[in-house]
Amino acid sequence: GRFTRTLYKGQYVDEITKVRYEWQSDDRIKLKEILTLKLYTDFDRLQFQLKKCFRWEYTQEIIEQHNPDEEKNENTEETESGNEQRQNVDADKKNELQRRLEQFYHWRISLMVVLNKFGYKIGDTRSNSQLLKKMPRTFHHGVNAKMVLSPCINTAFYGPLSTSSSFAVARTFATDKGMVLSISSQYPQLGACRAFDASLVSDFPEEQEWLIGFVYARIRRVHTVPFFGFEELPSESGLRSAFFAMHVFRQQLYFVSPDIENVLIKIFLEDNSEVNEKNRELLQKYNASKKDD
């Protein structure tokens, strides 16, 4: 079928190794390339192991980043011992990550080439292809944990990234403890962002999966599973919910689900402090102006 051919002439260059792959328009997909895709779409455990290549955390660096002004007490044995233990743990993690990158290098490169080669340009409105008409404007990515969202200067995100055109499907992957990120391309006019309709080759077409090879990511909304009675939550769960809501607010992600809004209202508006009294007045003026419009 037509979906087994490339729609555009292009190339893929790995930013680290500088390996370059080029292709022409209307190239047919090969069996090796189909297998590359199906290893990712149909084998969850293998996919999970590949994703571990992008989730390593350097403990000592994180501690120093979040405590830049903290004075270092180099005279205490306890501090030196703790630093040495973290450095040993980080060294072990680094060696483990290096071995994992070596093992998955060829598959990951092949996967990125296929996604960019046979993927559609996100936001492509100039083509009359029937295939592009089914591409969603917004992609939904479910994560089974509430993670810290760090801003990036150029918003560039390199895949592979599993998303779905269905919010309901992404929500099942998020579970009750996770979150769903609704994303789109920040610069669709550049024609650099690519997504592949994985339902064409996947054994699970009902997931409506789209694999993103590269995107200048724009987070349009952050969703979490609604919980009932924020005040009635156990203290640990309440603190986690408040921390996540404040983190999203600090990153200037203002389009959030109603439950996150409710937590922020509890924090900023329901306290009887003088600051929150002014916040309530501003909110009332804003709501009044919206009614007048």
Side-chain angles (χ1 to χ4, degrees):
R2 174 64 187 172
F3 75 87
T4 59
R5 299 175 182 268
T6 55
L7 296 179
Y8 323 96
K9 175 183 177 181
Q11 64 179 7
Y12 171 75
V13 180
D14 184 77
E15 294 296 330
I16 298 177
T17 63
K18 304 303 179 183
V19 174
R20 179 188 300 268
Y21 292 86
E22 298 180 354
W23 57 85
Q24 300 298 320
S25 176
D26 210 38
D27 283 353
R28 292 183 61 89
I29 194 170
K30 301 176 182 178
L31 177 60
K32 179 181 178 181
E33 294 169 327
I34 295 177
L35 291 176
T36 298
L37 288 168
K38 291 188 71 64
L39 283 174
Y40 187 90
T41 59
D42 298 351
F43 296 89
D44 292 341
R45 292 184 179 179
L46 187 59
Q47 179 187 138
F48 178 73
Q49 294 299 322
L50 173 64
K51 290 179 178 178
K52 281 186 177 181
C53 294
F54 315 111
R55 294 180 178 176
W56 175 64
E57 292 184 349
Y58 180 23
T59 309
Q60 184 66 24
E61 182 179 354
I62 292 175
I63 292 174
E64 294 174 354
Q65 178 181 351
H66 289 276
N67 299 277
D69 300 326
E70 183 178 348
E71 295 183 1
K72 298 181 179 180
N73 187 357
E74 300 178 354
N75 297 325
T76 62
E77 295 182 0
E78 181 178 355
T79 301
E80 294 178 356
S81 176
N83 289 338
E84 184 177 356
Q85 290 178 1
R86 286 194 295 268
Q87 290 172 1
N88 292 335
V89 171
D90 289 337
D92 293 339
K93 288 184 177 180
K94 184 176 181 179
N95 292 333
E96 180 184 352
L97 175 63
Q98 183 173 345
R99 290 193 296 269
R100 184 179 299 277
L101 289 172
E102 292 172 353
Q103 294 170 350
F104 285 96
Y105 170 77
H106 293 287
W107 180 36
R108 192 253 176 187
I109 288 290
S110 299
L111 186 59
M112 292 296 295
V113 171
V114 174
L115 294 181
N116 285 276
K117 182 178 180 180
F118 295 97
Y120 310 149
K121 294 180 181 179
I122 299 177
D124 186 357
T125 59
R126 294 171 294 180
S127 175
N128 295 322
S129 172
Q130 293 295 324
L131 296 173
L132 294 173
K133 293 182 179 180
K134 63 181 297 189
M135 173 180 285
R137 293 186 177 182
T138 302
F139 302 86
H140 307 286
H141 176 62
V143 187
N144 61 2
K146 296 182 179 70
M147 297 184 176
V148 172
L149 303 173
S150 298
C152 178
I153 295 177
N154 60 5
T155 72
F157 186 92
Y158 295 87
L161 177 67
S162 297
T163 66
S164 176
S165 59
S166 168
F167 174 77
V169 171
R171 191 167 179 174
T172 61
F173 285 97
T175 70
D176 291 345
K177 295 183 179 181
M179 62 181 180
V180 176
L181 302 178
S182 296
I183 63 178
S184 62
S185 173
Q186 182 76 22
Y187 310 109
Q189 67 276 13
L190 296 180
C193 308
R194 302 294 178 92
F196 177 81
D197 184 4
S199 63
L200 299 173
V201 298
S202 173
D203 281 350
F204 309 98
E206 67 279 1
E207 293 180 354
Q208 304 176 51
E209 183 176 12
W210 287 79
L211 295 181
I212 293 180
F214 173 80
V215 64
Y216 289 106
R218 175 187 179 187
I219 300 180
R220 305 189 67 92
R221 196 173 184 89
V222 180
H223 309 263
T224 58
V225 175
F227 42 77
F228 301 94
F230 172 68
E231 304 89 342
E232 301 175 1
L233 290 173
S235 58
E236 294 84 358
S237 299
L239 285 173
R240 283 196 295 268
S241 300
F243 170 80
F244 182 74
M246 287 298 299
H247 167 70
V248 171
F249 183 80
R250 288 187 62 187
Q251 300 302 331
Q252 302 181 17
L253 300 172
Y254 302 130
F255 295 95
V256 296
S257 52
D259 55 297
I260 300 179
E261 291 180 353
N262 290 335
V263 175
L264 293 174
I265 289 174
K266 294 288 183 182
I267 296 173
F268 290 117
L269 298 179
E270 294 198 354
D271 184 24
N272 291 323
S273 66
E274 181 179 348
V275 174
N276 284 355
E277 180 64 31
K278 294 181 179 179
N279 290 339
R280 283 192 290 270
E281 293 177 1
L282 292 173
L283 181 62
Q284 291 174 357
K285 292 180 181 179
Y286 173 74
N287 290 333
S289 65
K290 290 182 64 177
K291 291 181 181 179
D292 295 338
D293 294 340

